Amino acid sequence: MGHARPAQRHYTYADYVEWPEDERFELIDGVAYAMAPAPTRSHQLVVVELSRQLANALKGGPCQVFVAPFDVRLPHGDEADAQVDTVLQPDVLVVCDPAKVDERGVRGAPDWVAEVLSPASAARDQTVKLAAYERAGVPEVWLLHPTDRVLTIYRREDGRYGRPQIQEMLGRVAIGVLPGVSVDLDLFTE
């Protein structure tokens, strides 16, 4: 798990944009977490295949696919960007509302997020980061574990994530929030 920046104060997006470009952090409720070193080969293979399948499926429609590093600013309300204290970089995300996308990334909840778990980020991805997605209203989050070949899907029900769907990374799986779009997990092989 990446280390946190010293908790001397509550950080915001205004601080975040001033940090050196060669130091990558995510902000979660004002706490800055250092990003892990460069992802592994298996992590990158999953990200590339997932984004390829989604881009092909969504081509010509309003939804767009983005991959990290790409900032997702998750405000608590209508605060100015400078005051936003949660800025995440999901591995793969889909945004269907073009008004949420600007040159700096996305402001507001993406429609769908995928995190590819790695030893350095798994604990944070499955706890504080997942809680931030839930609070922000991300309708569906996929956690993919390439080593164990396990997919965990969280879907919002009544404003919260219900019990996750956990399955082996096999076959074709529909993305609930993107009608007609599914992912062929059998193609996630080395």
Side-chain angles (χ1 to χ4, degrees), residues 94-118:
V94 173
V95 178
C96 296
D97 180 356
K100 290 183 178 182
V101 181
D102 60 27
E103 286 304 310
R104 293 170 295 188
V106 174
R107 180 182 166 100
D111 294 276
W112 180 88
V113 164
E115 293 287 355
V116 181
L117 303 180
S118 63

Side-chain angles (χ1 to χ4, degrees), residues 1 26 36-47 50 89-92 113-130 133 141-154 166-167 169 188:
M1 183 157 123
E26 288 183 306
T40 64
R41 181 174 147 300
S42 61
H43 178 281
Q44 291 300 81
L45 289 171
V46 171
V47 168
L50 185 56
Q89 293 187 3
D91 289 314
V92 183
V113 164
E115 293 287 355
V116 181
L117 303 180
S118 63
S121 68
R124 185 175 67 240
D125 288 348
Q126 295 176 88
T127 57
V128 293
K129 203 166 176 182
L130 183 65
Y133 290 139
V141 176
W142 285 23
L143 302 176
L144 298 102
H145 195 296
T147 304
D148 293 342
R149 303 222 16 98
V150 173
L151 168 64
T152 305
I153 301 173
Y154 289 89
I166 302 171
Q167 67 182 68
M169 285 176 55
F188 290 67

Side-chain angles (χ1 to χ4, degrees), residues 156-167:
R156 279 179 57 100
E157 300 167 5
D158 301 320
R160 301 192 50 87
Y161 290 139
R163 184 182 191 136
Q165 173 186 332
I166 302 171
Q167 67 182 68

Side-chain angles (χ1 to χ4, degrees), residues 41-57 65 67 92 112 116 144 149 169 172 182-190:
R41 181 174 147 300
S42 61
H43 178 281
Q44 291 300 81
L45 289 171
V46 171
V47 168
V48 168
E49 181 59 31
L50 185 56
S51 59
R52 184 190 65 76
Q53 288 187 41
L54 288 170
N56 287 342
V65 180
V67 297
V92 183
W112 180 88
V116 181
L144 298 102
R149 303 222 16 98
M169 285 176 55
R172 188 166 283 282
S182 62
V183 175
D184 185 350
L185 297 173
D186 292 334
L187 297 178
F188 290 67
T189 58
E190 296 189 38

